[in-house]
């Protein structure tokens, strides 16, 4: 473990997008840099809080941004169930608002699909894609995932909804993800009410197998040891211009526990 | 109720201070809303929508250390909170402000009042915490809730049961869920706000207020009886009592709570 410290030097801001305000965490070096900005998209149903430590790492030599996906964290929600295309378009709004002409993107679970779709929507502006997990499902597996995560679980009088949600996160916490680190992000997974499953529903309606082969930009798939490991192991045939690195010693929270190691791996790819 | 919320940050002594702004952005008259511990400005979402529909601008601030506002590492005083929040008035170029606080927010409002001699139009305090010296000493000795995360999630259940018990099961499940999730989202410093209240000389602050004041309470609030102490100290203050309700009345019954605040604000404005 190279760090378990609290994040630092990360500011928060709002920009306007098609669904209202987008809430964004940002870090950048004190002096201007020629390196492309890095946009980081989170997993469902969390927020950009999962990238706070990571932004501190990547913000050392470039502008690093982690928006809250519309409807999550502090970003305004769409009025109806969005698609991955809607989420990606909102991230395009962010690029326009900040006048970012070329960027690299990184996405975690649901965020990996936003990356792929944004690369399709803005093929000349997205230069590299880093995908933390890129699952390939059978129809039965997809139905199972949807049943587990695509439905809202309203508050119960006995508090069992909290225990269930906690158990799901605790079961899949990373090998070096401390309980305190999990507690720092977990409350964000409880927000959103009836809209909470929208991110998962959008993700389960968008298949990497349909869209990733169209992506010609360089792609790095990181396959850590988490709940999508087995599904991500099937992605290689669908990569047009990419590779998979298996990181068995990483799990959820690796961006908090291994920021420098992850930074070295990803910087090497982004500099190719 | 349709409303248009603009959220933003300003720089505070502790990092960034987060606020929600509703109503005409060019209005220089506004109600500044201050929440209870350990909530955030989300407590006033419905209230702000109601005030906006009545043509009144309102700004709800996340107290430092709560919601999205950065907080100090050490427990601040109520005066520290007031000093950190007051710059919002200048930042938004407001020329007439009604401070409206709920529980901890009432103490902050009382401490802020002398800081805004030119802009202060009036003060609303719901359940101001006027304790005796002995009560304050005893409250400061009370142990903090143990937030240590447990693998089985029992820390969540313990807090859930505490919150349900505190309202005798009368609070809505959604507001209890919000209360519990914000409690843990705030983290191990969740007690700062209460300790600041216990350490604050509210009596002296109340005696100094020269602006119009509306005291509010609801009979279902655990602090209802103590509210009468403020009225005994300052019989010249206006008073509105709401029947029933819970400690979450601002969030659960926004229109009922906002109506007397609106009428008071209109009276203040009419006085010029």
């Amino acid at each position: 473990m190279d760090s378990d410290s609290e994040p630092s030097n990360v500011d928060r801001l709002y920009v306007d997008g098609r669904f209202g305000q987008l809430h964004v965490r940002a870090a950048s070096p004190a002096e201007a840099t020629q390196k492309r900005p890095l946009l980081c998209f989170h997993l469902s149903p969390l927020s950009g809080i999962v990238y706070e430590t990571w932004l501190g790492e990547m913000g050392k030599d470039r502008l690093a941004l982690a928006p809250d996906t519309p409807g999550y964290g502090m970003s305004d929600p769409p009025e109806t169930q969005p698609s991955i295309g809607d989420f990606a378009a909102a991230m395009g709004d962010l690029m326009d608002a900040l006048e970012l002409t070329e960027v690299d993107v990184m996405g975690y679970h649901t965020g990996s699909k936003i990356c792929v779709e944004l690369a399709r929507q803005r093929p000349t502006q997205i230069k590299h894609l880093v995908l933390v997990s890129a699952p390939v499902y059978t129809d039965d597996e997809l139905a199972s995932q949807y049943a587990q995560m695509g439905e809202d679980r309203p508050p119960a009088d006995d508090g069992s909804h909290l225990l269930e949600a906690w158990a799901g996160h605790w079961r899949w916490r990373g090998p070096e993800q401390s309980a305190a680190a999990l507690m720092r992000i977990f409350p964000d997974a409880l927000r959103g009410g009836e809209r909470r499953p929208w991110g998962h529903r959008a993700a389960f309606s968008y298949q990497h197998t349909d869209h990733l082969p169209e992506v010609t930009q360089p792609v790095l798939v990181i396959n850590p040891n988490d709940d999508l490991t087995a599904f991500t192991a099937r992605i290689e045939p669908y990569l047009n211009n990419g590779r998979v690195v298996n990181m068995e010693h990483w799990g959820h929270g690796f961006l908090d526990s291994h920021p420098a190691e992850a930074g070295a791996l990803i910087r090497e790819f982004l500099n190719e | 109720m349709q409303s248009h919320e603009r959220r933003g940050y300003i720089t505070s002594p502790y990092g960034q201070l987060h606020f929600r702004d509703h109503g005409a952005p060019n209005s220089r008259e506004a109600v500044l809303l201050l929440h209870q511990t350990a909530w955030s400005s989300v407590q006033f979402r419905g209230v702000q929508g109601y005030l906006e529909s009545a043509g009144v601008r309102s700004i709800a601030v996340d107290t430092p250390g709560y919601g999205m506002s950065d907080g100090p590492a050490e427990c601040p005083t109520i005066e520290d909170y007031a000093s950190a929040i007051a710059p919002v008035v200048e930042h938004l170029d407001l020329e007439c402000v009604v401070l409206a606080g709920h529980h901890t927010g009432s103490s902050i409002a009382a401490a802020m009042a002398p800081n805004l001699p030119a802009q202060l139009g009036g003060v609303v305090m719901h359940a101001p915490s006027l304790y005796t010296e002995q009560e304050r000493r005893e409250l400061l000795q009370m142990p903090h809730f143990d937030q240590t995360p447990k693998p089985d999630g029992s820390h969540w259940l313990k807090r859930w049961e505490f919150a349900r018990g505190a309202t005798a099961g009368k609070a809505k499940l959604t507001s209890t869920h919000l209360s519990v999730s914000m409690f843990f989202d705030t983290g191990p410093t969740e007690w700062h706000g209460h300790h600041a209240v216990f350490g604050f000389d509210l009596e002296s602050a109340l005696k100094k207020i020269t602006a119009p004041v509306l005291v509010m309470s609801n009979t279902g609030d655990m602090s209802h009886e103590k509210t009468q102490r403020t009225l005994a100290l300052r019989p010249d203050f206006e008073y509105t009592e709401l029947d029933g309700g819970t400690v979450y009345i601002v969030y659960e019954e926004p229109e009922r709570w906002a109506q007397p605040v609106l009428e008071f604000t209109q009276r203040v404005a009419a006085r010029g």
Side-chain angles (χ1 to χ4, degrees):
Chain A
M1 182 181 302
D2 43 47
S3 172
D4 194 22
S5 60
E6 287 293 306
S8 60
N9 303 320
V10 176
D11 284 330
R12 305 175 299 280
L13 66 149
Y14 287 99
V15 299
D16 291 331
R18 68 192 57 206
F19 300 119
Q21 287 184 298
L22 269 176
H23 183 250
V24 184
R25 288 171 173 80
S28 59
E31 295 184 9
T33 171
Q34 296 301 310
K35 294 185 184 302
R36 278 185 300 276
L38 176 67
L39 269 60
C40 305
F41 308 133
H42 62 82
L43 68 166
S44 301
L46 284 156
S47 74
I49 196 171
V50 300
Y51 287 115
E52 281 201 345
T53 306
W54 178 240
L55 294 179
E57 170 62 30
M58 295 306 285
K60 291 174 181 172
D61 62 359
R62 71 198 69 208
L63 173 62
L65 301 163
D68 293 344
T69 304
Y72 292 90
M74 293 303 296
S75 289
D76 286 319
E79 291 186 2
T80 57
Q81 168 70 53
S83 65
I84 289 294
D86 293 327
F87 286 150
M91 300 313 174
D93 295 339
L94 169 63
M95 292 174 59
D96 294 341
L98 298 181
E99 299 181 339
L100 306 177
T101 54
E102 293 186 351
V103 301
D104 298 321
V105 293
M106 175 173 176
Y108 201 122
H109 288 206
T110 299
S112 77
K113 296 185 172 179
I114 297 173
C115 284
V116 170
E117 181 56 24
L118 187 57
R120 294 176 71 234
Q121 292 181 4
R122 298 183 178 232
T124 63
Q125 292 182 269
I126 308 303
K127 296 302 181 184
H128 292 76
L129 292 80
V130 178
L131 310 181
V132 180
S133 306
V136 176
Y137 299 115
T138 66
D139 290 345
D140 287 346
E141 288 165 348
L142 194 58
S144 174
Q145 291 284 76
Y146 195 100
Q148 288 179 52
M149 290 177 278
E151 298 296 335
D152 179 38
R153 175 75 159 91
D157 189 48
D158 62 1
S160 56
H161 64 293
L162 295 170
L163 293 180
E164 282 183 24
W166 175 258
H169 283 255
W170 186 262
R171 178 189 174 199
W172 289 109
R173 75 189 173 104
E176 293 178 278
Q177 187 174 32
S178 68
L182 185 59
M183 277 301 293
R184 190 164 56 79
I185 64 169
F186 179 70
D188 269 21
L190 301 175
R191 297 188 190 195
E194 294 177 355
R195 295 192 305 268
R196 200 166 73 96
W198 282 7
H200 277 126
R201 290 179 191 168
F204 297 146
S205 300
Y206 186 98
Q207 304 311 319
H208 278 313
T209 51
D210 294 334
H211 305 294
L212 200 45
E214 301 169 17
V215 173
T216 57
Q217 298 97 318
V219 177
L220 175 68
V221 177
I222 297 174
N223 191 13
N225 184 11
D226 66 15
D227 46 316
L228 298 187
T229 305
F231 309 123
T232 300
R234 304 166 181 161
I235 196 65
E236 196 137 19
Y238 301 94
L239 294 175
N240 183 38
N241 179 18
R243 67 178 191 271
V244 179
V245 290
N246 296 304
M247 303 299 286
E248 292 88 353
H249 66 295
W250 287 356
H252 283 305
F254 76 90
L255 294 171
D256 287 326
S257 59
H258 295 277
E261 185 184 355
L265 172 69
I266 290 172
R267 282 191 177 91
E268 182 182 7
F269 167 70
L270 298 180
N271 291 338
E272 287 176 359
Chain B
M1 180 183 308
Q2 184 69 28
S3 69
H4 303 89
E5 181 175 273
R6 299 174 302 280
R7 298 177 298 283
Y9 290 97
I10 66 166
T11 300
S12 91
Y14 310 115
Q16 291 182 288
L17 188 82
H18 183 252
F19 63 90
R20 301 169 190 259
D21 188 354
H22 284 242
N26 57 351
S27 172
R28 300 185 69 195
E29 299 177 358
V31 179
L32 188 66
L33 297 157
L34 303 161
H35 62 83
Q36 66 173 327
T37 302
W39 277 61
S40 76
S41 57
V42 75
Q43 169 180 325
F44 295 106
R45 177 173 287 169
V47 167
Q48 290 194 274
Y50 181 81
L51 294 175
E52 180 180 348
S53 68
V56 173
R57 185 181 184 185
S58 68
I59 294 106
V61 177
D62 288 347
T63 302
Y66 298 89
M68 296 303 295
S69 290
D70 295 316
E74 304 298 325
C75 185
T77 63
I78 286 293
E79 291 89 342
D80 291 334
Y81 285 138
S83 297
I85 293 170
V88 169
V89 174
E90 184 177 351
H91 176 79
L92 296 176
D93 196 25
L94 304 176
E95 65 179 13
C96 183
V97 174
V98 169
L99 301 173
H102 179 243
H103 280 228
T104 299
S106 293
S107 293
I108 297 173
M112 275 184 73
N115 296 345
L116 303 169
Q119 301 98 332
L120 187 65
V123 182
V124 178
M125 293 187 283
H126 187 115
S129 306
L130 190 53
Y131 299 110
T132 65
E133 287 284 340
Q134 184 173 342
E135 286 171 340
R136 287 166 57 192
R137 281 195 298 273
E138 289 171 0
L139 287 165
L140 284 166
Q141 297 304 314
M142 285 178 60
H144 308 316
F145 185 92
D146 181 8
Q147 285 207 359
T148 306
K150 308 291 193 305
D152 63 359
S154 54
H155 55 301
W156 283 93
L157 194 59
K158 186 177 174 187
R159 187 66 193 179
W160 177 266
E161 290 171 346
F162 172 86
R164 292 295 285 157
T167 60
K170 293 177 180 173
K172 295 177 181 175
L173 294 178
T174 48
S175 39
T176 306
H177 174 84
L178 195 54
S179 171
V180 172
S181 56
M182 284 191 291
F183 174 83
F184 283 110
D185 193 27
T186 305
T189 59
E190 55 77 21
W191 54 272
H192 277 183
H194 283 133
H195 262 232
V197 168
F198 303 151
F200 179 54
D201 184 2
L202 178 61
E203 181 174 334
S204 295
L206 290 172
K207 287 177 178 174
K208 293 175 187 167
I209 297 178
T210 56
V213 173
L214 170 66
V215 175
M216 292 177 63
S217 184
N218 60 294
T219 59
D221 188 312
M222 70 276 278
S223 298
H224 174 63
E225 295 301 324
K226 288 190 177 62
T227 301
Q228 309 312 311
R229 296 176 180 177
T230 292
L231 298 171
L233 182 73
R234 289 295 303 261
D236 55 317
F237 287 175
E238 297 180 39
Y239 179 57
T240 294
E241 183 173 294
L242 303 174
D243 186 46
T246 72
V247 71
Y248 310 136
I249 191 169
V250 178
Y251 183 77
E252 295 187 326
E253 302 181 72
E255 296 191 10
R256 192 156 76 104
W257 190 82
Q259 181 63 32
V261 176
L262 173 64
E263 291 169 359
F264 175 76
T265 301
Q266 290 169 334
R267 287 198 296 278
V268 165
R271 287 173 196 158

